[in-house]
Amino acid sequence: MSGKEFEDVKITTSEIKSKDPLLIEGFPGIGLVGNIASQQIIEELSMEYIGSMESRFFPPIAVLYEGIINMPVRIYESEEQNLIMVVSDIPISPSASYDVSKVLIDWASAVGVKEVVSIAGIATMADESKVFGAATTDDMLKKIENEVEIFQMGTISGISGSIMSECFMQAIPAISLLGATRSQNPDPRAAAAVINSLNSIYDLSIDTESLIEQAERIEVEMQKLAEDVRTSEQSTSPRKEFPMYG
């Protein structure tokens, strides 16, 4: 087992088998783009659950999948694809974002991660499913410039922005892929667009057809999860602590 701890955040995993892996993270934000895309990648690649992140900052919930308890922030690995995934079913409060991103990137560095991809959503008024991109280095920007629309000016908010800043501080090459979405509602179509960009950038072949086919069902399920988390937060702390679900 390996672990990384900083104040009130802790990562515990089994031994990482991949060598110089790519790490992709998807935390909930607008449209739940990061969460939905990450879940699809994990399922399509039949990735192995290897550990979790815990914190007193997290809402007091357990996540159920087909009757089995899951940790709300989970870590998976595909040794075949040399890939590590971090997926969260809960929002990260702004007050916890520094601690969470610091622990995550410290841990990533310790296990030899070569690059980080942060998946999130971005609010737009356009109907088309665009993907915007940003990077921590010129080389990483060149890697994505022909696959996404470069996010020229602005800010990446929330935990995704904090993770990108931490990667920059620790000189770990990283890119941010932002799926355009028109509302706060779960958006599987935006998640599918991000996965298609990932497939092009990293020569992957992750299917997105099922995301599109099941978009309505996924939207309902993810909205229900968001409501459950929101209810849990309201019963334990002021709503302003966890604003990421709107």
Side-chain angles (χ1 to χ4, degrees):
M1 299 288 287
S2 65
K4 193 70 182 178
E5 191 167 0
F6 178 77
E7 294 185 1
D8 295 299
V9 183
K10 181 180 180 182
I11 290 177
T12 305
T13 68
S14 55
E15 183 180 356
I16 304 298
K17 299 173 184 176
S18 302
K19 303 299 180 185
D20 301 320
L22 170 68
L23 184 147
I24 302 175
E25 59 84 2
F27 286 85
I30 186 169
L32 299 184
V33 176
N35 177 281
I36 295 171
S38 297
Q39 293 283 14
Q40 180 73 1
I41 295 167
I42 290 164
E43 291 176 13
E44 284 295 313
L45 298 180
S46 299
M47 297 183 72
E48 177 187 359
Y49 172 81
I50 59 169
S52 64
M53 176 184 286
E54 305 166 65
S55 173
R56 71 176 185 86
F57 292 122
F58 296 167
I61 63 170
V63 177
L64 287 167
Y65 181 71
E66 296 182 347
I68 301 297
I69 295 292
N70 275 323
M71 296 296 287
V73 183
R74 302 177 297 283
I75 303 173
Y76 295 81
E77 181 182 24
S78 170
E79 187 178 6
E80 179 183 355
Q81 297 288 338
N82 213 36
L83 176 64
I84 295 172
M85 294 289 312
V86 179
V87 61
S88 173
D89 291 326
I90 56 173
I92 306 300
S93 71
S95 61
S97 290
Y98 172 79
D99 290 47
V100 169
S101 59
K102 173 70 173 172
V103 169
L104 179 59
I105 302 307
D106 280 354
W107 175 82
S109 178
V111 301
V113 165
K114 65 173 182 178
E115 291 178 8
V116 172
V117 177
S118 175
I119 300 176
I122 185 171
T124 69
M125 296 305 294
D127 288 328
E128 57 185 314
S129 297
K130 281 187 176 182
V131 177
F132 295 88
T136 57
T137 68
D138 289 338
D139 286 344
M140 293 300 284
L141 198 63
K142 290 176 183 176
K143 189 169 187 169
I144 65 173
E145 62 185 2
N146 294 324
E147 308 298 339
V148 301
E149 184 167 328
I150 300 302
F151 188 22
Q152 296 286 353
M153 188 75 68
T155 61
I156 301 172
S157 61
I159 183 65
S160 185
S162 185
I163 287 171
M164 289 296 289
S165 294
E166 192 63 35
C167 286
F168 178 80
M169 292 291 290
Q170 297 199 30
I172 295 179
I175 60 173
S176 175
L177 298 179
L178 305 164
T181 183
R182 296 191 65 183
S183 75
Q184 291 282 350
N185 296 329
D187 193 343
R189 295 170 185 83
V194 170
I195 292 174
N196 287 333
S197 295
L198 265 177
N199 284 339
S200 297
I201 296 166
Y202 288 101
D203 195 25
L204 299 170
S205 54
I206 299 156
D207 176 64
T208 57
E209 286 186 15
S210 60
L211 269 182
I212 302 303
E213 291 169 358
Q214 302 176 60
E216 186 174 339
R217 177 187 61 80
I218 292 171
E219 287 166 4
V220 171
E221 289 181 353
M222 297 303 292
Q223 190 65 40
K224 177 63 167 60
L225 177 60
E227 290 170 0
D228 288 346
V229 170
R230 192 156 48 212
T231 299
S232 172
E233 291 160 0
Q234 288 174 339
S235 67
T236 58
S237 62
R239 180 183 173 89
K240 65 179 181 179
E241 290 288 325
F242 296 95
M244 293 185 70
Y245 280 116

